[in-house]
Short mmCIF file of all heavy atoms in Angstrom, two decimals:
data_model
loop_
_atom_site.label_atom_id
_atom_site.label_comp_id
_atom_site.label_asym_id
_atom_site.label_seq_id
_atom_site.Cartn_x
_atom_site.Cartn_y
_atom_site.Cartn_z
N VAL A 345 -6.86 -1.13 77.56
CA VAL A 345 -5.61 -0.52 78.00
C VAL A 345 -4.48 -1.18 77.23
O VAL A 345 -4.39 -2.41 77.19
CB VAL A 345 -5.40 -0.71 79.52
CG1 VAL A 345 -4.07 -0.09 79.94
CG2 VAL A 345 -6.54 -0.09 80.30
N GLY A 346 -3.62 -0.36 76.61
CA GLY A 346 -2.57 -0.92 75.76
C GLY A 346 -1.21 -0.30 76.01
O GLY A 346 -1.10 0.82 76.52
N PHE A 347 -0.18 -1.05 75.67
CA PHE A 347 1.20 -0.58 75.73
C PHE A 347 1.83 -0.81 74.37
O PHE A 347 1.59 -1.87 73.75
CB PHE A 347 1.99 -1.34 76.80
CG PHE A 347 3.47 -1.08 76.75
CD1 PHE A 347 4.00 0.06 77.33
CD2 PHE A 347 4.32 -1.96 76.12
CE1 PHE A 347 5.37 0.31 77.28
CE2 PHE A 347 5.69 -1.72 76.06
CZ PHE A 347 6.21 -0.58 76.65
N ASN A 348 2.62 0.14 73.89
CA ASN A 348 3.26 -0.03 72.59
C ASN A 348 4.71 0.41 72.62
O ASN A 348 5.11 1.26 73.43
CB ASN A 348 2.48 0.72 71.48
CG ASN A 348 2.41 2.21 71.76
OD1 ASN A 348 3.39 2.93 71.62
ND2 ASN A 348 1.23 2.69 72.16
N PHE A 349 5.49 -0.20 71.74
CA PHE A 349 6.89 0.14 71.55
C PHE A 349 7.08 0.54 70.09
O PHE A 349 6.57 -0.14 69.18
CB PHE A 349 7.79 -1.05 71.89
CG PHE A 349 9.21 -0.87 71.41
CD1 PHE A 349 10.11 -0.10 72.13
CD2 PHE A 349 9.65 -1.45 70.23
CE1 PHE A 349 11.41 0.08 71.69
CE2 PHE A 349 10.94 -1.29 69.78
CZ PHE A 349 11.83 -0.52 70.52
N ASN A 350 7.81 1.63 69.87
CA ASN A 350 8.01 2.14 68.51
C ASN A 350 9.48 2.44 68.26
O ASN A 350 10.16 2.98 69.14
CB ASN A 350 7.20 3.42 68.29
CG ASN A 350 5.72 3.22 68.56
OD1 ASN A 350 5.06 2.51 67.83
ND2 ASN A 350 5.23 3.84 69.62
N ALA A 351 9.95 2.09 67.09
CA ALA A 351 11.32 2.41 66.70
C ALA A 351 11.33 2.83 65.24
O ALA A 351 10.58 2.28 64.41
CB ALA A 351 12.23 1.20 66.91
N TRP A 352 12.15 3.82 64.93
CA TRP A 352 12.35 4.30 63.56
C TRP A 352 13.84 4.15 63.26
O TRP A 352 14.67 4.83 63.88
CB TRP A 352 11.92 5.76 63.41
CG TRP A 352 10.47 6.02 63.68
CD1 TRP A 352 9.85 5.98 64.89
CD2 TRP A 352 9.47 6.36 62.73
NE1 TRP A 352 8.51 6.28 64.75
CE2 TRP A 352 8.25 6.52 63.43
CE3 TRP A 352 9.48 6.57 61.35
CZ2 TRP A 352 7.07 6.88 62.81
CZ3 TRP A 352 8.29 6.93 60.73
CH2 TRP A 352 7.11 7.07 61.44
N PHE A 353 14.17 3.28 62.35
CA PHE A 353 15.57 3.04 62.03
C PHE A 353 15.95 3.89 60.81
O PHE A 353 15.49 3.65 59.70
CB PHE A 353 15.83 1.56 61.77
CG PHE A 353 15.57 0.72 62.98
CD1 PHE A 353 14.39 0.01 63.11
CD2 PHE A 353 16.51 0.65 64.00
CE1 PHE A 353 14.15 -0.76 64.23
CE2 PHE A 353 16.28 -0.12 65.12
CZ PHE A 353 15.10 -0.83 65.24
N LYS A 354 16.78 4.89 61.05
CA LYS A 354 17.22 5.82 60.02
C LYS A 354 18.58 6.33 60.44
O LYS A 354 19.25 5.74 61.30
CB LYS A 354 16.22 6.96 59.86
CG LYS A 354 15.72 7.52 61.21
CD LYS A 354 14.72 8.62 61.05
CE LYS A 354 15.42 9.92 60.77
NZ LYS A 354 14.54 11.06 60.72
N LYS A 355 19.04 7.41 59.85
CA LYS A 355 20.36 7.95 60.18
C LYS A 355 20.45 8.29 61.66
O LYS A 355 21.44 8.01 62.33
CB LYS A 355 20.65 9.18 59.32
CG LYS A 355 22.08 9.69 59.48
CD LYS A 355 22.38 10.78 58.48
CE LYS A 355 23.82 11.24 58.59
NZ LYS A 355 24.15 12.28 57.61
N ASN A 356 19.41 8.93 62.19
CA ASN A 356 19.33 9.18 63.62
C ASN A 356 18.15 8.35 64.15
O ASN A 356 17.00 8.71 63.97
CB ASN A 356 19.08 10.66 63.90
CG ASN A 356 20.27 11.51 63.51
OD1 ASN A 356 21.32 11.43 64.10
ND2 ASN A 356 20.09 12.32 62.47
N ALA A 357 18.47 7.20 64.73
CA ALA A 357 17.43 6.27 65.15
C ALA A 357 16.58 6.87 66.26
O ALA A 357 17.08 7.56 67.15
CB ALA A 357 18.06 4.96 65.62
N ALA A 358 15.28 6.62 66.20
CA ALA A 358 14.35 7.08 67.22
C ALA A 358 13.66 5.88 67.84
O ALA A 358 13.19 4.98 67.13
CB ALA A 358 13.32 8.02 66.61
N MET A 359 13.61 5.85 69.17
CA MET A 359 12.94 4.77 69.87
C MET A 359 12.10 5.34 70.99
O MET A 359 12.47 6.32 71.63
CB MET A 359 13.96 3.77 70.44
CG MET A 359 14.73 3.02 69.38
SD MET A 359 15.72 1.68 70.07
CE MET A 359 16.50 1.05 68.57
N GLY A 360 10.95 4.73 71.22
CA GLY A 360 10.07 5.22 72.26
C GLY A 360 9.03 4.20 72.63
O GLY A 360 8.97 3.10 72.09
N CYS A 361 8.19 4.57 73.58
CA CYS A 361 7.10 3.69 74.02
C CYS A 361 5.92 4.55 74.43
O CYS A 361 6.04 5.78 74.56
CB CYS A 361 7.55 2.80 75.17
SG CYS A 361 8.07 3.71 76.64
N GLY A 362 4.78 3.91 74.61
CA GLY A 362 3.59 4.68 74.94
C GLY A 362 2.51 3.84 75.58
O GLY A 362 2.57 2.60 75.58
N LEU A 363 1.50 4.53 76.11
CA LEU A 363 0.33 3.90 76.72
C LEU A 363 -0.92 4.44 76.05
O LEU A 363 -0.98 5.61 75.67
CB LEU A 363 0.27 4.19 78.22
CG LEU A 363 1.36 3.58 79.10
CD1 LEU A 363 1.26 4.15 80.51
CD2 LEU A 363 1.24 2.07 79.14
N THR A 364 -1.93 3.59 75.90
CA THR A 364 -3.20 4.01 75.34
C THR A 364 -4.34 3.51 76.22
O THR A 364 -4.25 2.43 76.82
CB THR A 364 -3.41 3.48 73.91
OG1 THR A 364 -3.44 2.05 73.93
CG2 THR A 364 -2.29 3.94 72.99
N VAL A 365 -5.40 4.29 76.29
CA VAL A 365 -6.62 3.90 76.99
C VAL A 365 -7.80 4.25 76.09
O VAL A 365 -7.86 5.37 75.56
CB VAL A 365 -6.76 4.61 78.35
CG1 VAL A 365 -8.09 4.24 79.01
CG2 VAL A 365 -5.61 4.25 79.28
N LYS A 366 -8.71 3.31 75.93
CA LYS A 366 -9.89 3.56 75.09
C LYS A 366 -11.14 3.15 75.86
O LYS A 366 -11.21 2.03 76.39
CB LYS A 366 -9.77 2.77 73.78
CG LYS A 366 -10.84 3.16 72.75
CD LYS A 366 -10.57 2.54 71.39
CE LYS A 366 -10.92 1.08 71.36
NZ LYS A 366 -10.99 0.54 69.99
N LEU A 367 -12.11 4.06 75.92
CA LEU A 367 -13.40 3.81 76.55
C LEU A 367 -14.47 3.92 75.47
O LEU A 367 -14.48 4.89 74.71
CB LEU A 367 -13.67 4.82 77.67
CG LEU A 367 -12.56 5.01 78.71
CD1 LEU A 367 -12.92 6.12 79.68
CD2 LEU A 367 -12.29 3.72 79.46
N GLN A 368 -15.39 2.96 75.40
CA GLN A 368 -16.35 2.97 74.30
C GLN A 368 -17.65 2.28 74.68
O GLN A 368 -17.72 1.54 75.66
CB GLN A 368 -15.74 2.27 73.08
CG GLN A 368 -15.38 0.82 73.32
CD GLN A 368 -14.54 0.23 72.21
OE1 GLN A 368 -13.97 0.93 71.39
NE2 GLN A 368 -14.45 -1.10 72.17
N ASN A 369 -18.66 2.55 73.88
CA ASN A 369 -19.97 1.93 74.10
C ASN A 369 -20.72 1.96 72.77
O ASN A 369 -20.29 2.61 71.81
CB ASN A 369 -20.76 2.67 75.17
CG ASN A 369 -21.78 1.78 75.86
OD1 ASN A 369 -22.10 0.70 75.36
ND2 ASN A 369 -22.29 2.22 76.99
N GLN A 370 -21.83 1.26 72.72
CA GLN A 370 -22.66 1.28 71.52
C GLN A 370 -24.13 1.17 71.90
O GLN A 370 -24.48 0.58 72.91
CB GLN A 370 -22.27 0.14 70.57
CG GLN A 370 -22.44 -1.24 71.13
CD GLN A 370 -22.02 -2.31 70.13
OE1 GLN A 370 -21.57 -2.03 69.04
NE2 GLN A 370 -22.21 -3.57 70.52
N THR A 371 -24.98 1.79 71.08
CA THR A 371 -26.42 1.77 71.29
C THR A 371 -27.09 1.30 70.01
O THR A 371 -26.83 1.84 68.93
CB THR A 371 -26.94 3.18 71.66
OG1 THR A 371 -26.27 3.64 72.85
CG2 THR A 371 -28.44 3.16 71.89
N GLU A 372 -27.95 0.30 70.13
CA GLU A 372 -28.65 -0.21 68.95
C GLU A 372 -29.75 0.77 68.57
O GLU A 372 -30.62 1.11 69.38
CB GLU A 372 -29.24 -1.59 69.24
CG GLU A 372 -29.83 -2.25 68.02
CD GLU A 372 -30.28 -3.68 68.28
OE1 GLU A 372 -29.99 -4.20 69.37
OE2 GLU A 372 -30.93 -4.26 67.37
N VAL A 373 -29.74 1.24 67.33
CA VAL A 373 -30.74 2.20 66.86
C VAL A 373 -31.75 1.55 65.92
O VAL A 373 -32.82 2.11 65.69
CB VAL A 373 -30.06 3.40 66.16
CG1 VAL A 373 -29.21 4.17 67.16
CG2 VAL A 373 -29.20 2.94 64.99
N ALA A 374 -31.40 0.42 65.35
CA ALA A 374 -32.30 -0.34 64.49
C ALA A 374 -31.72 -1.74 64.35
O ALA A 374 -30.59 -2.01 64.78
CB ALA A 374 -32.45 0.32 63.12
N GLU A 375 -32.50 -2.65 63.78
CA GLU A 375 -32.01 -4.01 63.61
C GLU A 375 -30.78 -4.01 62.70
O GLU A 375 -30.82 -3.55 61.56
CB GLU A 375 -33.10 -4.90 63.01
CG GLU A 375 -32.67 -6.36 62.93
CD GLU A 375 -33.78 -7.24 62.42
OE1 GLU A 375 -34.92 -6.76 62.24
OE2 GLU A 375 -33.52 -8.44 62.19
N GLY A 376 -29.66 -4.49 63.23
CA GLY A 376 -28.42 -4.54 62.46
C GLY A 376 -27.66 -3.24 62.42
O GLY A 376 -26.63 -3.16 61.75
N THR A 377 -28.14 -2.21 63.12
CA THR A 377 -27.48 -0.90 63.11
C THR A 377 -27.25 -0.41 64.54
O THR A 377 -28.17 -0.44 65.36
CB THR A 377 -28.32 0.14 62.35
OG1 THR A 377 -28.52 -0.31 61.01
CG2 THR A 377 -27.62 1.49 62.34
N SER A 378 -26.04 0.05 64.81
CA SER A 378 -25.73 0.58 66.14
C SER A 378 -24.96 1.89 66.00
O SER A 378 -24.26 2.12 65.01
CB SER A 378 -24.90 -0.42 66.95
OG SER A 378 -23.64 -0.64 66.34
N PHE A 379 -25.15 2.74 67.01
CA PHE A 379 -24.37 3.97 67.10
C PHE A 379 -23.24 3.72 68.09
O PHE A 379 -23.47 3.39 69.26
CB PHE A 379 -25.24 5.14 67.57
CG PHE A 379 -24.47 6.41 67.78
CD1 PHE A 379 -23.87 7.06 66.70
CD2 PHE A 379 -24.32 6.95 69.05
CE1 PHE A 379 -23.16 8.24 66.89
CE2 PHE A 379 -23.62 8.13 69.25
CZ PHE A 379 -23.04 8.77 68.16
N ASN A 380 -22.01 3.86 67.63
CA ASN A 380 -20.84 3.58 68.46
C ASN A 380 -20.14 4.89 68.80
O ASN A 380 -19.99 5.77 67.94
CB ASN A 380 -19.86 2.66 67.72
CG ASN A 380 -20.45 1.30 67.47
OD1 ASN A 380 -21.56 1.17 66.96
ND2 ASN A 380 -19.71 0.26 67.80
N TYR A 381 -19.67 5.01 70.05
CA TYR A 381 -19.02 6.24 70.48
C TYR A 381 -18.01 5.92 71.58
O TYR A 381 -18.09 4.86 72.23
CB TYR A 381 -20.06 7.24 70.98
CG TYR A 381 -20.98 6.68 72.05
CD1 TYR A 381 -20.69 6.84 73.41
CD2 TYR A 381 -22.12 5.96 71.70
CE1 TYR A 381 -21.52 6.31 74.38
CE2 TYR A 381 -22.96 5.44 72.66
CZ TYR A 381 -22.66 5.61 74.00
OH TYR A 381 -23.48 5.08 74.97
N GLY A 382 -17.07 6.85 71.78
CA GLY A 382 -16.07 6.59 72.81
C GLY A 382 -15.06 7.70 72.95
O GLY A 382 -15.07 8.71 72.23
N LEU A 383 -14.17 7.52 73.92
CA LEU A 383 -13.07 8.43 74.19
C LEU A 383 -11.76 7.65 74.11
O LEU A 383 -11.73 6.45 74.41
CB LEU A 383 -13.19 9.03 75.60
CG LEU A 383 -14.47 9.79 75.93
CD1 LEU A 383 -14.48 10.17 77.41
CD2 LEU A 383 -14.59 11.05 75.08
#
Side-chain angles (χ1 to χ4, degrees):
V345 179
F347 170 81
N348 60 74
F349 167 80
N350 304 292
W352 298 71
F353 296 100
K354 44 181 279 185
K355 187 172 183 179
N356 293 293
M359 294 189 181
C361 60
L363 293 171
T364 63
V365 176
K366 190 171 76 166
L367 310 175
Q368 60 191 16
N369 206 345
Q370 61 180 3
T371 302
E372 187 174 352
V373 295
E375 185 176 353
T377 301
S378 64
F379 176 66
N380 296 50
Y381 53 93
L383 303 173

